[in-house]
Amino acid sequence: MTRNIGWHIIFRLIDDRVIAPSVEARRTCARVIAGIGREADLLLFSVPDNHGHSVVGCSRAMAGQFARRVELALHRHLGLSVPFESARVRPVNGQGHLDSLVDYVLGNSARHGARVDPLLEASNLPDLLGLRLVARDTAARLREALPRLRRQRLLAHYEVDDLVAGTHPGHLADAAAATVGRTRLRGQLPDVFSAKVAAVRVGTDLELGTAQIAARLDLSARSVRRIAGQQPEPTLVRSIRLQIGLREVLGIPPRTGISGSIPSSPSLARSP
């Protein structure tokens, strides 16, 4: 008998509209799913356009609770005006099925021709490859579940052979914000502040002056000097460099107009 080792959850809105049409919405989506998924042994997720996929390793009862909590949270934090259909919860029947779901879930955007998210930020692929820390626990969990899974299979979803550190200063602010699933680095939330500290270090390593870093990160020169005295988290520094590099390789132009307040409700800001 094949053993059920998890659950594949599919959710969509009742009118099939796109769930997360903007960069901000996609990053919010990732934080919501990752935060709720920690209690459900989340392994994989993606929200390519008008539907979403998640794979969890918990019990059937908890999988249903996870699906409902995700739908409620996305509805609230994305300001959706229509409800979700009842989520479909399907069993993952054995190791082979789970292995096939890696490419099925992470490749859903390409399969459906949805090209609005070239960085695949509405999935946990960035976390699996060390580009982001939002759902980094899924990387260890997936390695335990699929020890034969090779990094090259994951890189293939970006159509690159490897990830390399980038140097384009125009990407600094957005790359730093992306590593913690934010659109802007404003405020003093712990993840935002950690990203600021790491971004200042990367800017310094790129030989940007204090004034240049301040302008890139929408900080005062005094704040940059103060932050420069903090010890950055090495994984965040590496993630920012890789985020910059991926943008360069994929030919993504620097985002403009990303200075300003970070639109996040307090409950969502604390949850991931």
Side-chain angles (χ1 to χ4, degrees):
M1 174 183 282
T2 303
R3 188 170 69 90
N4 172 16
I5 60 173
W7 302 94
H8 177 199
I9 300 164
I10 305 167
F11 53 91
R12 66 176 66 236
L13 294 166
I14 60 169
D15 63 355
D16 257 355
R17 74 177 64 185
V18 174
I19 296 171
S22 67
V23 171
E24 179 184 350
R26 290 190 285 273
R27 293 181 188 178
T28 297
C29 205
R31 295 203 320 277
V32 165
I33 296 173
I36 297 172
R38 292 193 185 102
E39 298 177 8
D41 292 336
L42 180 66
L43 296 169
L44 297 161
F45 71 83
S46 72
V47 186
D49 49 14
N50 66 347
H51 66 291
H53 295 266
S54 297
V55 178
V56 294
C58 57
S59 68
R60 174 61 179 85
M62 186 171 288
Q65 293 173 9
F66 163 81
R68 184 59 179 155
R69 288 182 62 197
V70 165
E71 290 172 351
L72 289 172
L74 291 180
H75 201 274
R76 182 169 67 254
H77 294 299
L78 297 181
L80 301 172
S81 58
V82 296
F84 282 89
E85 292 181 351
S86 295
R88 285 176 282 174
V89 183
R90 300 171 173 172
V92 178
N93 296 314
Q95 199 77 358
H97 187 188
L98 178 60
D99 183 76
S100 70
L101 282 172
V102 174
D103 295 318
Y104 181 84
V105 172
L106 298 178
N108 217 252
S109 180
R111 185 166 54 257
H112 290 290
R115 301 294 182 180
V116 296
D117 185 13
L119 295 169
L120 299 177
E121 294 187 287
S123 77
N124 67 322
L125 182 63
D127 309 284
L128 297 175
L129 288 170
L131 290 158
R132 191 176 66 192
L133 276 62
V134 172
R136 57 177 158 179
D137 52 324
T138 63
R141 201 173 293 128
L142 193 61
R143 279 196 302 270
E144 292 173 356
L146 293 173
R148 297 184 184 181
L149 179 63
R150 294 294 174 257
R151 182 176 174 84
Q152 288 307 122
R153 270 181 66 189
L154 301 176
L155 287 168
H157 290 285
Y158 283 129
E159 299 182 0
V160 299
D161 294 326
D162 203 358
L163 299 175
V164 296
T167 59
H168 195 312
H171 289 301
L172 179 61
D174 190 51
T179 61
V180 290
R182 305 287 180 178
T183 50
R184 299 170 180 83
L185 294 180
R186 292 297 299 269
Q188 296 299 314
L189 293 168
D191 62 336
V192 172
F193 184 73
S194 294
K196 286 181 187 177
V197 174
V200 169
R201 172 60 60 85
V202 173
T204 301
D205 291 344
L206 293 178
E207 299 183 351
L208 300 179
T210 298
Q212 292 174 300
I213 295 173
R216 298 282 180 193
L217 301 181
D218 193 26
L219 297 171
S220 67
R222 181 180 178 183
S223 293
V224 171
R225 286 190 290 269
R226 175 176 57 83
I227 290 172
Q230 301 282 328
Q231 184 63 34
E233 186 176 343
T235 52
L236 264 177
V237 171
R238 178 176 180 272
S239 294
I240 293 171
R241 290 171 174 159
L242 294 180
Q243 286 268 6
I244 294 173
L246 183 60
R247 284 161 169 75
E248 292 174 350
V249 170
L250 297 182
I252 296 174
R255 284 185 69 211
T256 58
I258 61 174
S259 300
S261 61
I262 182 165
S264 302
S265 68
S267 58
L268 177 57
R270 289 193 297 266
S271 61

